[in-house]
Amino acid sequence: MARNLNFQQIEAFKAVMQTGTTTRAAAMLNTTQPSISRRIAELQSATELTLFDLHQGRLRPTSEGNFLYKAIQQHFAGLQKIESIVAIMRESGTQTLRLGCTPTLGIGLLPEVVGEFLKKYPNTHISIQTMSTHQLEGFLNQDLIDLALATGEFNHSDFQPVVIKTTPAVCVLPLNHPLKDADTIELPMLKGERILSISETDELCMKIKEQLLKHGMPDYFSVQTTSSITVCALVAAGIGVGIVTPYIANTFLGQLLIKPLKPSIAIDLQMATSVNTAPSLLTRYFISLLLKKTNASGEKAASV
């Protein structure tokens, strides 16, 4: 009755097929010739097959031996592929990094961090999805992205966002605006101005409205858009003034004026990863670069 095979028998058989003799096979496997001969004998006994015959003093594989060798080659090729994948993951994780962020951060924050990341992992495939904070929550929950970044608030129970930096919003003005020489823009100074805003549901828009009402100013915006990028473009074209995150304002440097705003409106930069999957090696390294970029290496986010 055929018996179960073991790895040593298969390894010895493969070595004999590759080298042609038990002596060379023994040298390849750093063992003795009698040990190889014993394993081949055990293999033939276990399989109840004649895998070699002796032809003019040399071992010659039978057709069964050749057929078994082809099957073993496929098996070892699979093992080698697995070993190769493990080596790659040991060096650079899955070699895929899936990022999600709001459009503002996609322009104003990520490019420099991604560029620094690729210096260490140049062969990584990076996917960057730009979308609303609410959409980012859905993508994280479905494990479609490894890391989400937003300046809006994450409200999903399946992950715990971390505030990695808080910055004040800035006021952006056309280059030739009458307030161009002001060091700081106080909100009452914008009375009578056409204030451009992002959509009503955006957290920054709600904070702006709250401050306008506190200062007895109308909270109606004649021009609204879904993106701070568009707000800055319209301001640069002289359409009005805006209050935006410094991340996007700085990308329009030279096209508009950027002024501190009083009272200050805080903007939290938040980061979130899925609680269902631990961050990969690549994700952890990207987070470390992000923290370095935002000068937040000593904050709680460093433990993510």
Side-chain angles (χ1 to χ4, degrees):
M1 182 180 293
R3 299 188 298 275
N4 290 335
L5 312 182
N6 62 50
F7 181 77
Q8 288 77 17
Q9 294 165 357
I10 293 172
E11 187 180 43
F13 171 74
K14 177 173 176 284
V16 171
M17 291 293 291
Q18 287 177 327
T19 63
T21 71
T22 54
T23 301
R24 291 174 186 166
M28 173 187 278
L29 299 180
N30 195 28
T31 186
T32 64
Q33 186 274 335
S35 174
I36 295 294
S37 296
R38 184 179 66 255
R39 292 174 187 175
I40 295 298
E42 290 172 349
L43 178 64
Q44 293 190 120
S45 176
T47 59
E48 297 181 351
L49 296 171
T50 300
L51 303 174
F52 297 97
D53 68 9
L54 199 60
H55 179 69
Q56 296 180 354
R58 293 176 60 88
L59 286 178
R60 181 174 63 174
T62 63
S63 58
E64 291 83 2
N66 280 322
F67 190 84
L68 179 60
Y69 179 57
K70 289 178 182 178
I72 289 173
Q73 279 183 307
Q74 292 176 350
H75 171 76
F76 272 82
L79 285 178
Q80 289 170 352
K81 184 176 181 180
I82 291 171
E83 289 172 353
S84 176
I85 290 171
V86 168
I88 290 171
M89 288 194 293
R90 190 184 302 118
E91 177 65 25
S92 59
T94 59
Q95 285 205 309
T96 298
L97 179 63
R98 304 170 302 165
L99 304 173
C101 65
T102 54
T104 296
L105 295 177
I107 292 177
L109 177 64
L110 280 197
E112 186 175 343
V113 184
V114 169
E116 191 67 25
F117 175 90
L118 288 173
K119 290 179 182 178
K120 182 168 183 178
Y121 297 113
N123 298 320
T124 301
H125 171 74
I126 300 178
S127 168
I128 302 175
Q129 304 281 343
T130 55
M131 59 191 77
S132 69
T133 304
H134 178 69
Q135 289 173 312
L136 289 172
E137 291 175 345
F139 268 57
L140 260 184
N141 192 44
Q142 297 174 63
D143 197 28
L144 296 176
I145 52 178
D146 302 310
L147 177 69
L149 295 166
T151 50
E153 184 176 351
F154 290 112
N155 292 305
H156 209 286
S157 60
D158 286 342
F159 45 84
Q160 296 180 324
V162 176
V163 175
I164 59 176
K165 190 171 186 179
T166 299
T167 56
V170 295
C171 182
V172 288
L173 312 166
L175 292 175
N176 60 351
H177 194 275
L179 295 173
K180 63 182 179 182
D181 294 324
D183 292 329
T184 300
I185 301 298
E186 297 186 14
L187 205 56
M189 296 167 65
L190 298 180
K191 281 185 178 179
E193 294 283 350
R194 182 186 289 117
I195 301 178
L196 314 178
S197 177
I198 45 184
S199 60
E200 300 278 346
T201 57
D202 190 276
E203 188 177 348
L204 177 56
C205 178
M206 290 187 279
K207 289 181 177 181
I208 294 171
K209 281 195 166 195
E210 181 183 348
Q211 289 299 326
L212 289 173
L213 291 173
K214 280 185 179 179
H215 288 80
M217 300 169 65
D219 63 350
Y220 169 75
F221 304 114
S222 59
V223 178
Q224 284 187 289
T225 176
T226 57
S227 172
S228 294
I229 301 168
T230 308
V231 170
C232 287
L234 292 171
V235 170
I239 307 299
V241 302
I243 298 171
V244 297
T245 73
Y247 302 109
I248 189 60
N250 290 334
T251 66
F252 282 82
L253 210 58
Q255 301 177 57
L256 43 68
L257 301 172
I258 304 171
K259 303 284 186 178
L261 180 69
K262 284 188 179 179
S264 179
I265 297 177
I267 298 173
D268 291 335
L269 173 60
Q270 295 197 18
M271 170 181 70
T273 56
S274 172
V275 296
N276 299 316
T277 306
S280 67
L281 181 152
L282 295 180
T283 303
R284 294 195 301 272
Y285 180 66
F286 188 88
I287 288 173
S288 71
L289 292 179
L290 180 67
L291 296 177
K292 183 179 179 181
K293 164 69 177 172
T294 56
N295 299 314
S297 56
E299 296 187 18
K300 182 181 178 181
S303 64
V304 175

